[in-house]
Amino acid sequence: QVQLVESGGGLVQPGGSLRLSCTASGSILSINRMAWYRQAPGKQRELVAGITRGGSTNYADSVKGRFTCSRDNAENMVYLQMNSLKPEDTAVYYCNVEGLRYGFRNFNAWGQGTQVTVSS
């Protein structure tokens, strides 16, 4: 099994910053893509940012220039640095990890979600 644990969410004022972290553990052989998604009330879950093992990133247009996704391959961790936060960034943020686990089986795991609220 593969487990993801997220941290770093909270309440922040508009214009503020937060850093989300996600750690993957369990029977992991290798990790390919790591990503962050978010889901606001009444809306579908959407991709915020993704990063490959080699460090290539992609971002939703709404967060480009404000959010930075990075990873630590040695520690099986992925981060999301969020700057210049706006009220519309309010959502539950989920970590998503794709890779290979022992037995050479593919896995696609989700974290439990962490709430980010941007409000004055």
Side-chain angles (χ1 to χ4, degrees), residues 57-109:
T57 55
N58 64 293
Y59 297 93
D61 287 344
S62 59
V63 307
K64 282 180 181 176
R66 300 187 297 122
F67 290 11
T68 302
C69 184
S70 61
R71 62 188 283 174
D72 183 334
N73 290 332
E75 299 294 332
N76 289 341
M77 296 187 70
V78 62
Y79 306 96
L80 186 67
Q81 177 66 43
M82 304 184 292
N83 298 328
S84 303
L85 282 161
K86 305 175 181 180
E88 50 264 44
D89 294 318
T90 296
V92 177
Y93 284 69
Y94 297 90
C95 175
N96 175 252
V97 173
E98 299 175 357
L100 205 61
R101 59 186 176 96
Y102 293 136
F104 296 95
R105 297 178 181 178
N106 292 320
F107 73 86
N108 186 318

